[in-house]
Amino acid sequence: MMKSKAIYLLFLMSVLLIDCSKSDRYILTKTNKNLQDLTSVKYKFDFKNYNSMTGELGQNDSLTAIFDFTSNDSILGAKYYMSRNYGELGFDGSTSYYTDKEKMQLIYTPVNSREDLNGIQCSIFSIKQLRDLLPQMLNDSTCIFKRTADTIIDNTTCFSFEIILEGKSIGLFGNVTQKENTVRYYNFFVDKENLLPKQFISFFDKKSPLWIITYSNIIPLKSVTDSIFDYSLQNPDYIRYTTEEIQLMRRNENILKDNSYLGVEALDWTLPSMSGDSVTLSQIDDSLVMLEFWFPNCTGCVRAIPEINKIQKEFKNKGLKVYGVEFTKADSTGLTDYVKKMKMEYPSLYSAKEVATSYGVSAGPSVFLIKEGKFVYASIGFRKYELLNEIEKNL
């Protein structure tokens, strides 16, 4: 009797072990299927990136993401839109962009390869990457999934797996690549309730995390309108730059900040005026020219208007010519009413994006004084007393 009971217990244990093994595979396979079944998805994720040398936390951010997996582009096979506190980024299948909320800028670039995508770090172990990764790893016999004790993440009970890759590593774009003489470790946590990812951790070594990505509020979507991903429809009030333009502007902006502009000959230009004629810098008769670069609804620009009106009145008969220069619009549409509404009493020019870029203007108001064709003063922001002092000094 005792012998029969022992045999039964051994049999039961073997069945449970086999069942446990199947259960692990079922969890991973079902999670993979749930990911592959998504046509589009919206979710929130928190990502932390640690310095591999010091172990110190580097990046720490929270984003909301939307992915559309029905895209037929050959670059990523998905469109995406992500938003965070200080801006947005996206990809519409051919063009990638990001925004700077503080500077009200949108920077875009045509995409020919994945390396051209903006905000690559925000895509590390995204839902898109997990959709690509899981099939690769599940079909790779050298990839080891080791079930560990269930854990709780953000009040959610999760299945836990340690992933071990010998001689391989997960690349920047979510592909398993050969990496000889290395062993890489990852942790993968799956929400028990919906069998969708909850957290993914990449380790520099077995104990030092490199990336920690936590997913929440995963909502499958039936469809997403293309306008969400189209950069040309985003933030209509933002200044738009290509990547090349923003790089040139920022180089010039650094020169502006350290006053290296002083004494340098100013780029000559001809710009249309709101009065209907045009103005050429080199043909202005006054001995000193003040340019204030602005754009509509710029808070600092609006605050500066009454002070610039006063400067215009005080110095217009003393050799100073003041111009406002709107640098975000290609034409004057809407500007006439805006200038009137804001009570700007000094003449304004427009269609000045190229001039602004060459001058290093990245924000409004930016102010320049030009004397005899050369810069004698430059400032990001309106500094009344500093500006008045320079005007009086140079008249």
Side-chain angles (χ1 to χ4, degrees), residues 1-8:
M1 183 70 178
M2 291 294 294
K3 187 176 180 180
S4 298
K5 188 174 182 180
I7 293 173
Y8 174 75

Side-chain angles (χ1 to χ4, degrees), residues 82-90 97-108 118 234-235 237-241 246 249-250 253 257 295 362-364:
M82 301 183 192
S83 64
R84 48 191 171 182
N85 289 334
Y86 50 92
E88 304 158 314
L89 54 100
Y97 77 92
Y98 68 94
T99 67
D100 184 323
K101 185 183 292 186
E102 182 180 1
K103 292 184 177 180
M104 296 182 70
Q105 296 173 348
L106 185 149
I107 296 89
Y108 64 96
N118 288 306
Q234 308 301 319
N235 308 98
D237 294 333
Y238 280 25
I239 313 166
R240 281 164 160 69
Y241 296 102
I246 203 72
M249 185 192 66
R250 284 173 179 168
E253 183 184 41
K257 286 179 179 177
F295 60 93
S362 63

Side-chain angles (χ1 to χ4, degrees), residues 29-290:
T29 302
K30 181 61 176 175
T31 300
N32 178 49
K33 184 179 187 306
N34 288 342
L35 288 173
Q36 303 307 321
D37 286 346
L38 294 172
T39 54
S40 53
V41 65
K42 179 179 180 180
Y43 67 99
K44 179 183 176 184
F45 69 100
D46 302 312
F47 76 83
K48 297 180 179 180
N49 178 217
Y50 294 84
N51 187 307
S52 60
M53 302 299 292
T54 66
E56 295 179 350
L57 178 62
Q59 293 176 296
N60 184 10
D61 207 350
S62 295
L63 297 90
T64 296
I66 297 176
F67 276 90
D68 179 7
F69 304 118
T70 64
S71 176
N72 58 7
D73 74 277
S74 59
I75 297 167
L76 190 63
K79 300 176 184 178
Y80 64 78
Y81 165 84
M82 301 183 192
S83 64
R84 48 191 171 182
N85 289 334
Y86 50 92
E88 304 158 314
L89 54 100
F91 173 61
D92 64 5
S94 61
T95 304
S96 178
Y97 77 92
Y98 68 94
T99 67
D100 184 323
K101 185 183 292 186
E102 182 180 1
K103 292 184 177 180
M104 296 182 70
Q105 296 173 348
L106 185 149
I107 296 89
Y108 64 96
T109 185
V111 176
N112 297 309
S113 68
R114 292 189 178 190
E115 286 75 11
D116 295 331
L117 292 168
N118 288 306
I120 289 296
Q121 72 278 9
C122 297
S123 296
I124 296 293
F125 305 120
S126 64
I127 293 294
K128 160 62 178 168
Q129 285 201 0
L130 292 184
R131 286 177 95 245
D132 296 339
L133 270 173
L134 269 181
Q136 295 178 62
M137 294 191 294
L138 289 172
N139 293 321
D140 187 342
S141 59
T142 67
C143 177
I144 300 171
F145 284 89
K146 182 180 178 182
R147 178 83 172 271
T148 58
D150 294 351
T151 189
I152 296 176
I153 300 173
D154 294 340
N155 298 316
T156 300
T157 305
C158 301
F159 296 114
S160 304
F161 294 90
E162 180 182 47
I163 304 172
I164 304 172
L165 294 180
E166 292 191 25
K168 296 180 180 179
S169 177
I170 296 175
L172 183 64
F173 299 105
N175 54 320
V176 178
T177 59
Q178 298 291 329
K179 199 162 188 178
E180 296 181 0
N181 303 317
T182 61
V183 180
R184 295 302 301 270
Y185 297 90
Y186 307 87
N187 282 349
F188 183 39
F189 302 91
V190 177
D191 187 328
K192 271 192 169 185
E193 185 174 342
N194 57 23
L195 291 182
L196 285 170
K198 183 60 183 177
Q199 190 174 84
F200 197 97
I201 303 177
S202 168
F203 291 90
F204 179 71
D205 55 41
K206 195 170 184 179
K207 295 182 179 180
S208 303
L210 189 60
W211 292 92
I212 300 178
I213 315 295
T214 305
Y215 317 91
S216 59
N217 301 327
I218 299 177
I219 304 173
L221 303 173
K222 290 184 178 180
S223 62
V224 183
T225 58
D226 285 343
S227 61
I228 291 176
F229 311 104
D230 188 344
Y231 82 96
S232 66
L233 301 177
Q234 308 301 319
N235 308 98
D237 294 333
Y238 280 25
I239 313 166
R240 281 164 160 69
Y241 296 102
T242 64
T243 300
E244 291 77 13
E245 287 174 335
I246 203 72
Q247 289 172 347
L248 172 62
M249 185 192 66
R250 284 173 179 168
R251 284 198 298 270
N252 291 339
E253 183 184 41
N254 289 333
I255 298 173
L256 190 159
K257 286 179 179 177
D258 63 17
N259 286 326
S260 297
Y261 263 97
L262 303 187
V264 175
E265 187 170 345
L267 171 74
D268 195 20
W269 43 257
T270 299
L271 292 174
S273 169
M274 296 295 297
S275 60
D277 58 355
S278 62
V279 175
T280 300
L281 175 62
S282 59
Q283 295 178 6
I284 299 173
D285 294 333
D286 296 80
S287 60
L288 187 64
V289 178
M290 172 181 159

Side-chain angles (χ1 to χ4, degrees), residues 281-347:
L281 175 62
S282 59
Q283 295 178 6
I284 299 173
D285 294 333
D286 296 80
S287 60
L288 187 64
V289 178
M290 172 181 159
L291 304 177
E292 182 253 343
F293 287 83
W294 65 275
F295 60 93
N297 302 311
C298 156
T299 302
C301 305
V302 172
R303 289 176 180 170
I305 291 172
E307 300 299 334
I308 298 175
N309 285 339
K310 292 177 184 178
I311 290 173
Q312 157 87 346
K313 289 178 182 178
E314 182 176 352
F315 294 100
K316 67 179 180 180
N317 295 322
K318 299 179 181 180
L320 175 70
K321 188 65 176 180
V322 177
Y323 290 99
V325 184
E326 203 292 323
F327 65 102
T328 68
K329 296 182 177 296
D331 55 43
S332 62
T333 303
L335 292 181
T336 300
D337 290 340
Y338 183 84
V339 166
K340 184 176 180 180
K341 177 182 176 182
M342 293 296 108
K343 299 179 180 179
M344 298 168 67
E345 298 173 5
Y346 43 94

